[in-house]
Amino acid sequence: MKKKFLWTGFLGLLAAGGILFAADHIDAPAVTGPSSASLGTDITDIYAFQSPADNSKMVFVINTQGLLSPTATSSASFPSNVMYEMNIDNSGDNVEDLVIQCLVKNNKLRVYGPVAPSAPGLNSMVMTNGTMTETDVTAYGASTLNVGTNNGIRVFAGPRDDPFFFDLVRFQEILAGTQTGFRSPGVDAFAGTNVMSIVVEVPKNLLGSAATLNVWAESKTK
């Protein structure tokens, strides 16, 4: 008998048409407050873009657990009680029409979807009726990446260098009024740090026919 769990989301980042609106690196109240949850639930960024290798596919990336040093990265893992959910609005009403649900257990990533959710909003059920694609999590420093494939979908999970670039020092100087603009070139405050990434490549014909997609991500616990 299969058990169905209710997964509740409490973190999220919003992007529209592949353009990022915000990034967080361990500064969300839910992971820094007095009753903070696991840092494994902290989403730093979500990216959505057309595959540079195949224009018939879209790539979705969720990065989590920002600011990992190389030493910390070697022991980092995805929590087994968290579902990372990519929400896709293909009708322009800012309500998810499709979800891609990502769960990691016993060092194996399992991805369901894209599939219609049971209901929109912060609470979710795992949509086991969606296409399931799985792969082993790639270890830090591995020479070969583990990539799972099914029905044209490709999935990956594991540590990656954080691609987010931000000159935090100069930003703080601008806020303090001691500088009036960013320097060129800037100094990346995130250089040398890693994130735990989940990457899902999906054929566009599984995402509907809209020219623009609204995409956002949540981490949900049960």
Side-chain angles (χ1 to χ4, degrees):
M1 175 178 174
K2 292 184 178 180
K3 292 184 178 179
K4 293 186 176 180
F5 294 95
L6 186 66
W7 298 70
T8 302
F10 57 93
L11 292 174
L13 293 172
L14 177 66
I19 301 173
L20 186 67
F21 282 160
D24 290 288
H25 288 71
I26 316 178
D27 50 8
V31 295
T32 59
S35 58
S36 59
S38 165
L39 292 178
T41 63
D42 190 41
I43 298 173
T44 65
D45 297 285
I46 176 171
Y47 302 91
F49 54 91
Q50 179 175 281
S51 169
D54 185 345
N55 62 13
S56 71
K57 296 184 176 181
M58 287 289 294
V59 179
F60 302 90
V61 181
I62 292 178
N63 286 339
T64 71
Q65 305 180 51
L67 306 179
L68 288 170
S69 68
T71 299
T73 305
S74 62
S75 59
S77 62
F78 294 97
S80 60
N81 67 330
V82 175
M83 176 170 69
Y84 304 97
E85 188 170 76
M86 303 174 185
N87 299 282
I88 301 167
D89 163 32
N90 60 17
S91 59
D93 59 0
N94 297 322
V95 176
E96 63 268 40
D97 302 292
L98 298 169
V99 293
I100 299 173
Q101 299 177 327
C102 309
L103 301 99
V104 178
K105 190 173 184 179
N106 297 325
N107 210 42
K108 185 179 290 291
L109 169 70
R110 182 167 289 184
V111 176
Y112 295 96
V115 61
S118 59
L122 294 178
N123 298 326
S124 295
M125 305 293 292
V126 178
M127 303 306 297
T128 56
N129 61 317
T131 299
M132 191 275 284
T133 311
E134 64 180 359
T135 186
D136 291 332
V137 175
T138 296
Y140 181 52
S143 58
T144 302
L145 303 182
N146 297 319
V147 177
T149 61
N150 187 17
N151 195 33
I153 298 170
R154 305 171 71 218
V155 301
F156 163 88
R160 297 281 89 188
D161 180 59
D162 191 347
F164 185 72
F165 183 102
F166 189 54
D167 192 339
L168 180 61
V169 172
R170 181 53 58 96
F171 175 71
Q172 292 172 331
E173 291 171 344
I174 294 171
L175 290 181
T178 58
Q179 295 290 341
T180 58
F182 283 97
R183 50 195 163 191
S184 179
V187 178
D188 184 14
F190 298 91
T193 67
N194 298 316
V195 290
M196 295 296 285
S197 294
I198 294 175
V199 184
V200 182
E201 184 181 75
V202 179
K204 289 181 179 177
N205 61 11
L206 300 181
L207 302 173
S209 57
T212 300
L213 301 175
N214 295 319
V215 180
W216 64 102
E218 301 166 277
S219 58
K220 300 184 172 183
T221 57
K222 63 180 180 181

